[in-house]
Amino acid sequence: MDYKTVGLKAGIEIHQQLDSRTKLFCRCPTSLREFEEHTDEYFRFLRATESEMGEIDEAAREEMKNERRFCYYTYDTTCLVEDDEEPPQPLNPEALTISLTIAKMLGMSPVGQIHTMRKLVIDGSNTSGFQRTALVALDGAIPVDVLPGGGGIETICLEEEAAQRVDDHTFSLDRLGIPLVEITTSPCMKTPEEVQEVAGYLGMVLRSTGKVKRGLGTIRQDINISISGGARVEIKGVQELDLIAEVVRREVRRQENLLSIRDELIRRGAGVREEPVDVTHVFSATSSGILKKADRILALVLPFFGGLVGREIQPGRRLGSELSDYAKKCGLGGIFHTDELPGYGVTPEEVSELRTATGASDRDCVIIVAGPEKKVHCAVLQVIKRARLAFEGIPEETRRMLEGGSTSYMRPLPGAARMYPETDVEPVYSRGIWGAIQVPELITKRIGRLKDLGLDPGVAEHIGYSEQYPLFEKALNQGVPPALAARTLTSTVKELRREGVAVDHISDDELIGALAAVGDGRAAKEAVPEILRLIAGGTPLADALEQCAGRVSVQDLGDIVRAVVRERQQFVIERGMASLGPLMGVVMAEVRGSVDGKVVSDCLKDEIRRILQET
Amino acid sequence: MNHTYDAGDRLEAQIGTSVRQATYITGRDGMAVVKLDNGYNLGIPYDSCRFLERPGQSVARKPIVTQRDELPVLSIVSTGGTIASRIDYRTGAVTSQFDAADILRAIPGLSSIGRFRTKQLYTILSENMTPAIWQELARAVHEEIVSGARGVIVTHGTDTMAYSAAALSFMLDTPVPVIFVGSQRSADRPSSDNAINALCAAKTAVSELGEVAVVMHTTTSDDSCSIHRATRVRKMHTSKRDAFTSIGVPPIGTVKYPTLDVTLAAHARKRRETEPMVLPDLEPGCGLLSFVPGMDPAVLDAFSGYRGLVIAGTGLGHVSTAWIPALRTLAKDGCMLAMTSQCLNGRVCDRVYDTGRDLISAGVIEAENMLPETALVKMMWVLGNEDDPDKAAGMMKEDLKGEIEGRSVHGL
Ligand SMILES: [Zn+2]
């Protein structure tokens, strides 16, 4: 697909949790908990003012009202601030410094006097009904080697993370208040690959600080997409970097298909018949479980929509799915439409009776909405609303990513953010912090440097991105050979952990001490796992070194090698120097890894040579 | 340099290398606070601003509120506590709403409970309340009662709400509910307790209750409000929704939310048990002093000339024996002395230890299980209405408005 012709414009909003010691506006730790660990729960209502509810018709609004009762889980790691029972504490200076560091890395201008705002969020994910957020810097750049032609970063905001949803109306407070940076780019990306590239770049910049959280859910990308003749669509919460390009590709496809459906509808002179017909009687003896259970079944005729409602617009998604998404907002499981019927337990006879009852022709599509009385009426209005939008093309929407990269409707695009000042938090100043910030080395640059040190590219990449990097660098500064440090940190420690060794009991200094001993020949590198095992078990570093180094002295090694070679004299004579390999294994097993392989091999070579000369 | 911007002025703001259009909001610590078009405020030096234009005033469209004639008349008297507010998202300004129509717009559920009229008496912070304002409030509430209100709701800041409510209890005989209500979390936030407290207060105001009460959240959850007797209630937490607690007695009722079912306890006073009457005289020359170990008796000199002094003593109602002579002097000079306890819970008893017996002989009245603050406002009222010292002392020990519980009930 030629994305230039399509006129693709995309921007990214990245949300990244910061790894600060405490939360943004209280002194609780930023640790996540298991839901079962919650200590208490309580209930709250959030009251919407007029326009926060604008997404749904009057009838729907009435119904939604009673459902805005939320339950919150508390923990021994949450406090009254998360409960919205105590005013916030001053903005966390550690989090502010991290966010300004990121801003400096992206070449942004800091805001002099930073004001915390309240951004209204009434979906229950914030106990207060708003999210605290502060704009800390503006106008940075995406380098040209990342995005051809370069690009812009519009803003970076420091905000509090929302509570984690347990189920529909229940939230867990452990996550609420963890500091988060929100980085917003301009809509400067023109291909799906560019979007993925920029997202990867920003992720790398964030990780380069060494001060961001890692793991699933700690970074989320929202993607804004539009094509020529389309509308802006925001896709929320893409967590997997590798899927970003695919999400963009699929969204472009969806928008193109919706535009062509629009053209087709107009060509056909299609319409929306806004009076639903009660067809409950048509399905009085149906074998469809959903229809049988329903108190009320209403049918809505979409003249000349036949075939278009069932047309695929994205893998696994049809125009019908979009109509269904809107209906689901009223609490129904979904809808049926004649493009997919007969099926789902609905017989051909019932379909034809349905068409008769509604006066629909074969070229029309009939939508069936079934369920409790109130919800059905609400859902019909929602279907009408979405069907009408089909004539405009692409509705401006916030969408949710589905598995695989297709998306479903969440809510209309938010209007201008409804914000007002957080009067409980004093403004803070960037001036004292900004100048002192040391811009960390970018991971990409770091990896290049490691390759220059002679590390294997794969290892360099691994250790460069690793959380262990600061320790690695410390080891290098103390004279540990890079390859040894990298291997120990990226694989040895991991293997020991898998074995069940308590590697967490090994301090950084002990680890570096062990590696340094190898560096200056006091220990064999083969002995590293055994030394670490001993330290993890509580043996002091010096003793561990002595136990491992002392086991086989050079003298002992000589004896062992002589014995091994002599026992296999015939083999050595037959194979000559080629016997070195097999004999290495035998000797290494004898010395149990406590002597450097190079030393063993030198000693072994000497002994083999001597035997060969003797004979 | 132009420091004379008005809120709402359109400016061009230079932030580092970036230039953005913005709206002027206010000045803060020598910097101009502007709102960018994305909604964020930030502070920049004044010389980084350039004036663009001053937009004309836009008038907010307000939906029309209709009141239902068949519903009982409820009166809202406001003193400054906000139960409703409105946010202007253009400037971020939060304004308190006192007009009946504005309150009903903010809390639509009220319009199905009663027909409201409002009287805005004051807009002050509750810490700035004075006995003189309590008197004015008592007169205003009395007026609302005699002019036919089925119930009166007083909106009040929470800090000193218990003082005002207790003061009204003594000044006012009421055949209808007089309900004090406020909010612990600001009314501008979607999570505020304002609406639920207001709805529960309104429902209490049309109930069969016949006394002055405080209606606030029962727990941190939005599932019920407690109706507290004004003379037994105390704010027991700085910030939580359920800060108000009845001390030493159960609440006189509860209102479930969202059903708004009111349940009144057996000990609650009922509607029409008395005729409306106001006796608003108060003696302002009264004090409340909390004793601490080692406190110099000379502190008491500050109260010379006072007509009354309530002491919050330790434990059963004690102060240092070093205080006895100074207290004797105060009493001789005509200052009524009453002893309450810092324990808040339980009854004062000065007949157990020597110090207590000395206090009684010095002229100190045991204020039974009265809360210190309640004892203070009661003393003001008693001294304002009774000149005879013996009769006044007798009134202090007599239960007038539920402030003294004759029995200390097990389990509270
Ligand atoms: Zn906390």
Side-chain angles (χ1 to χ4, degrees):
Chain A
M1 185 175 292
D2 182 357
Y3 289 100
K4 203 169 198 171
T5 321
V6 174
L8 170 63
K9 271 196 208 161
I12 313 176
E13 230 175 67
I14 289 196
H15 300 92
Q16 166 76 63
Q17 290 176 9
L18 303 183
D19 194 21
S20 57
R21 218 171 46 76
T22 60
K23 289 184 174 178
L24 193 53
F25 292 108
C26 69
R27 299 302 161 244
C28 289
T30 59
S31 41
L32 295 183
R33 306 294 299 273
E34 297 297 328
F35 294 153
E36 305 83 71
E37 294 173 331
H38 74 272
T39 51
D40 200 1
E41 56 187 69
Y42 58 85
F43 298 91
R44 292 277 171 74
F45 289 87
L46 290 180
R47 299 180 72 83
T49 57
E50 285 309 308
S51 34
E52 280 87 54
M53 297 284 287
E55 67 189 80
I56 289 203
D57 300 282
E58 287 298 324
R61 176 189 304 197
E62 261 322 295
E63 191 169 60
M64 296 281 291
K65 251 186 196 157
N66 296 329
E67 295 179 5
R68 297 208 162 262
R69 178 177 187 266
F70 301 106
C71 171
Y72 296 99
Y73 285 177
T74 67
Y75 299 85
D76 54 6
T77 49
T78 64
C79 71
L80 291 186
V81 174
E82 286 95 330
D83 291 348
D84 187 45
E85 287 276 47
E86 188 175 279
Q89 296 191 21
L91 186 125
N92 180 345
E94 184 191 7
L96 178 63
T97 303
I98 300 169
S99 64
L100 285 170
T101 304
I102 297 163
K104 204 167 182 177
M105 294 170 84
L106 295 170
M108 305 180 80
S109 301
V111 167
Q113 191 185 51
I114 297 165
H115 289 251
T116 301
M117 307 295 291
R118 297 171 172 177
K119 190 199 293 183
L120 285 184
V121 179
I122 54 153
D123 64 0
S125 63
N126 286 73
T127 45
S128 56
F130 51 72
Q131 178 188 32
R132 297 188 183 91
T133 175
L135 178 61
V136 302
L138 300 110
D139 286 354
I142 301 165
V144 286
D145 56 336
V146 176
L147 182 66
I153 309 249
E154 289 182 350
T155 53
I156 176 164
C157 298
L158 178 57
E159 42 190 48
E160 48 183 5
E161 175 69 287
Q164 171 102 41
R165 199 184 286 270
V166 178
D167 59 41
D168 279 5
H169 296 284
T170 304
F171 291 88
S172 173
L173 293 178
D174 52 341
R175 204 180 72 180
L176 178 65
I178 293 179
L180 191 77
V181 288
E182 181 205 70
I183 301 175
T184 308
T185 74
S186 61
C188 54
M189 289 145 252
K190 298 177 194 69
T191 69
E193 293 70 29
E194 284 179 5
V195 180
Q196 184 153 331
E197 192 66 28
V198 170
Y201 168 74
L202 291 174
M204 183 276 295
V205 170
L206 289 164
R207 276 192 171 199
S208 298
T209 61
K211 291 284 167 61
V212 299
K213 290 215 182 271
R214 292 169 173 237
L216 197 70
T218 57
I219 185 164
R220 300 190 295 275
Q221 281 96 2
D222 296 349
I223 309 169
N224 287 299
I225 303 171
S226 67
I227 62 172
S228 310
R232 196 165 78 86
V233 166
E234 182 175 279
I235 298 169
K236 280 267 177 217
V238 183
Q239 298 200 2
E240 301 90 337
L241 188 64
D242 298 341
L243 261 179
I244 289 179
E246 180 62 15
V247 169
V248 177
R249 279 192 281 273
R250 289 191 185 193
E251 177 58 20
V252 171
R253 192 159 145 199
R254 192 185 73 93
Q255 296 198 7
E256 285 214 309
N257 285 327
L258 286 176
L259 289 178
S260 86
I261 287 175
R262 174 196 64 186
D263 296 345
E264 176 72 10
L265 287 172
I266 293 169
R267 206 186 51 74
R268 290 186 187 179
V272 177
R273 204 179 289 166
E274 310 213 340
E275 282 303 310
V277 181
D278 189 332
V279 292
T280 316
H281 62 282
V282 173
F283 298 98
S284 52
T286 186
S287 53
S288 151
I290 293 171
L291 295 180
K292 195 182 285 176
K293 265 196 318 209
D295 302 340
R296 180 72 60 207
I297 306 173
L298 296 184
L300 190 74
V301 180
L302 302 179
F304 298 107
F305 267 70
L308 294 178
V309 175
R311 183 187 283 183
E312 189 175 77
I313 53 174
Q314 249 188 348
R317 301 274 312 172
R318 291 147 212 290
L319 179 57
S321 330
E322 305 284 319
L323 297 175
S324 177
D325 287 346
Y326 273 65
K328 284 176 184 168
K329 290 284 153 190
C330 300
L332 288 185
I335 57 164
F336 289 119
H337 57 83
T338 47
D339 281 3
E340 59 180 2
L341 298 177
Y344 304 101
V346 177
T347 62
E349 293 71 35
E350 283 168 340
V351 174
S352 89
E353 208 178 319
L354 171 70
R355 288 199 184 273
T356 311
T358 55
S361 83
D362 285 351
R363 302 165 69 188
D364 304 339
C365 181
V366 185
I367 309 290
I368 304 172
V369 181
E373 188 78 42
K374 254 178 148 182
K375 290 185 179 180
V376 165
H377 286 285
C378 166
V380 162
L381 291 174
Q382 286 286 101
V383 171
I384 291 172
K385 185 172 171 181
R386 180 62 187 87
R388 280 205 207 122
L389 288 169
F391 293 88
E392 287 166 33
I394 302 152
E396 291 203 330
E397 289 171 343
T398 300
R399 301 181 65 82
R400 172 189 298 118
M401 198 194 90
L402 304 171
E403 211 172 314
S406 292
T407 58
S408 66
Y409 169 76
M410 261 174 101
R411 53 173 182 259
L413 269 194
R418 292 162 72 80
M419 284 203 244
Y420 65 109
E422 168 53 281
T423 41
D424 295 342
V425 176
E426 293 278 295
V428 291
Y429 294 84
S430 61
R431 198 173 40 205
I433 307 170
W434 186 258
I437 289 173
Q438 301 279 340
V439 173
E441 180 184 42
L442 285 184
I443 288 175
T444 43
K445 215 170 156 200
R446 171 194 294 173
I447 290 168
R449 193 164 47 78
L450 296 180
K451 287 181 191 160
D452 292 346
L453 284 175
L455 276 188
D456 169 81
V459 175
E461 186 116 344
H462 192 160
I463 193 76
Y465 269 105
S466 153
E467 274 178 283
Q468 304 293 335
Y469 182 76
L471 183 54
F472 172 82
E473 196 175 64
K474 199 166 156 193
L476 249 54
N477 290 339
Q478 298 193 23
V480 176
L484 173 66
R487 173 154 31 86
T488 308
L489 290 175
T490 59
S491 70
T492 312
V493 170
K494 222 177 277 172
E495 282 158 19
L496 289 174
R497 189 189 307 269
R498 217 172 294 140
E499 260 177 44
V501 176
V503 286
D504 297 331
H505 293 174
I506 306 169
S507 74
D508 290 357
D509 287 339
E510 285 168 330
L511 183 76
I512 292 173
L515 297 183
V518 176
D520 56 27
R522 284 178 293 127
K525 64 173 184 281
E526 285 75 7
V528 169
E530 185 58 27
I531 295 171
L532 296 183
R533 246 180 237 120
L534 287 168
I535 296 173
T539 312
L541 170 64
D543 297 351
L545 285 174
E546 197 175 336
Q547 281 182 38
C548 291
R551 192 176 298 151
V552 179
S553 67
V554 178
Q555 182 64 47
D556 293 343
L557 179 65
D559 294 346
I560 291 169
V561 166
R562 259 190 300 283
V564 167
V565 171
R566 210 131 291 166
E567 271 173 35
R568 294 165 180 77
Q569 197 160 348
Q570 201 52 41
F571 176 72
V572 171
I573 293 165
E574 279 168 19
R575 304 284 291 268
M577 284 312 285
S579 60
L580 177 66
L583 292 184
M584 257 317 269
V586 180
V587 177
M588 288 309 283
E590 290 265 324
V591 301
R592 277 172 299 161
S594 60
V595 184
D596 195 302
K598 177 98 180 27
V599 178
V600 173
S601 117
D602 288 349
C603 182
L604 199 51
K605 268 185 214 156
D606 289 347
E607 190 59 30
I608 293 172
R609 248 180 235 122
R610 185 176 312 143
I611 296 279
L612 292 177
Q613 276 161 15
E614 277 173 14
T615 51
Chain B
M1 208 189 293
N2 183 350
H3 281 217
T4 55
Y5 299 125
D6 282 354
D9 283 358
R10 294 294 288 167
L11 309 173
E12 200 170 70
Q14 169 105 32
I15 305 128
T17 55
S18 163
V19 178
R20 305 265 176 136
Q21 294 217 346
T23 303
Y24 181 78
I25 302 299
T26 185
R28 175 83 192 233
D29 302 334
M31 292 180 110
V33 178
V34 300
K35 182 182 278 294
L36 300 188
D37 292 343
N38 63 10
Y40 282 95
N41 286 12
L42 43 85
I44 55 174
Y46 273 95
D47 55 13
S48 302
C49 301
R50 198 172 66 80
F51 179 80
L52 291 178
E53 60 166 339
R54 180 158 299 169
Q57 291 292 328
S58 62
V59 182
R61 196 176 54 86
K62 291 181 181 176
I64 294 160
V65 173
T66 46
Q67 300 226 47
R68 284 158 56 184
D69 287 345
E70 75 277 16
L71 292 174
V73 173
L74 289 178
S75 171
I76 299 178
V77 179
S78 59
T79 66
T82 52
I83 58 164
S85 55
R86 187 167 58 220
I87 309 165
D88 178 347
Y89 291 98
R90 192 178 53 93
T91 60
V94 178
T95 43
S96 299
Q97 304 294 303
F98 300 110
D99 173 59
D102 287 330
I103 291 172
L104 293 178
R105 260 191 292 274
I107 309 172
L110 286 173
S111 58
S112 56
I113 298 173
R115 194 153 35 104
F116 289 85
R117 61 187 194 212
T118 53
K119 183 178 250 180
Q120 188 186 338
L121 210 54
Y122 282 95
T123 48
I124 57 168
L125 299 168
S126 85
E127 58 269 34
N128 293 334
M129 278 280 161
T130 62
I133 297 176
W134 299 340
Q135 292 173 303
E136 199 175 331
L137 182 59
R139 286 191 204 97
V141 170
H142 178 256
E143 221 168 86
E144 293 300 314
I145 297 169
V146 295
S147 68
R150 175 134 175 110
V152 181
I153 297 164
V154 181
T155 69
H156 199 292
T158 56
D159 277 10
T160 68
M161 182 191 283
Y163 288 86
S164 299
L168 256 69
S169 289
F170 293 111
M171 290 189 277
L172 204 61
D173 285 347
T174 176
V176 306
V178 175
I179 307 301
F180 279 71
V181 69
S183 61
Q184 281 284 82
R185 315 303 301 142
S186 61
D188 55 81
R189 59 180 75 206
S191 63
S192 175
D193 51 336
N194 71 321
I196 292 171
N197 289 348
L199 289 165
C200 291
K203 208 58 201 292
T204 310
V206 295
S207 76
E208 286 308 300
L209 188 72
E211 61 177 300
V212 183
V214 167
V215 171
M216 294 285 285
H217 264 58
T218 306
T219 68
T220 194
S221 285
D222 285 341
D223 51 12
S224 80
C225 283
S226 293
I227 308 171
H228 301 282
R229 174 161 285 157
T231 52
R232 296 295 327 174
V233 69
R234 202 166 188 283
K235 187 178 184 182
M236 296 298 282
H237 196 279
T238 57
S239 58
K240 285 181 72 184
R241 287 165 173 75
D242 57 354
F244 283 83
T245 309
S246 287
I247 306 284
V249 290
I252 52 176
T254 54
V255 189
K256 287 277 175 237
Y257 189 85
T259 59
L260 295 180
D261 293 331
V262 178
T263 311
L264 295 178
H267 63 292
R269 292 205 176 201
K270 301 300 181 312
R271 193 179 273 279
R272 287 180 294 270
E273 275 182 18
T274 174
E275 288 300 312
M277 183 169 68
V278 63
L279 289 172
D281 288 339
L282 291 178
E283 168 52 59
C286 293
L288 168 59
L289 178 63
S290 195
F291 168 80
V292 296
M295 189 184 257
D296 188 339
V299 165
L300 289 170
D301 296 347
F303 294 93
S304 87
Y306 270 56
R307 293 275 328 275
L309 176 63
V310 175
I311 300 165
T314 58
L316 279 168
H318 296 133
V319 293
S320 159
T321 44
W323 274 36
I324 308 282
L327 287 173
R328 210 182 292 277
T329 310
L330 268 181
K332 213 157 50 205
D333 292 349
C335 179
M336 177 192 265
L337 298 172
M339 180 62 73
T340 60
S341 174
Q342 294 167 14
C343 297
L344 304 178
N345 286 290
R347 194 179 304 273
V348 161
C349 183
D350 279 319
R351 286 147 289 140
V352 179
Y353 298 105
D354 285 346
T355 308
R357 285 187 278 272
D358 290 346
L359 283 167
I360 290 175
S361 80
V364 175
I365 303 162
E366 295 169 289
E368 301 290 331
N369 55 3
M370 257 191 289
L371 290 168
E373 301 84 3
T374 301
L376 171 69
V377 295
K378 180 180 183 181
M379 187 182 267
M380 288 178 171
W381 184 78
V382 166
L383 293 175
N385 288 279
E386 180 54 69
D387 292 330
D388 182 283
D390 290 336
K391 281 188 182 158
M395 286 167 77
M396 280 306 287
K397 290 186 68 81
E398 186 191 336
D399 176 32
L400 303 178
K401 290 296 169 82
E403 74 278 14
I404 293 173
E405 290 286 310
R407 297 166 54 235
S408 303
V409 179
H410 174 82
L412 285 167

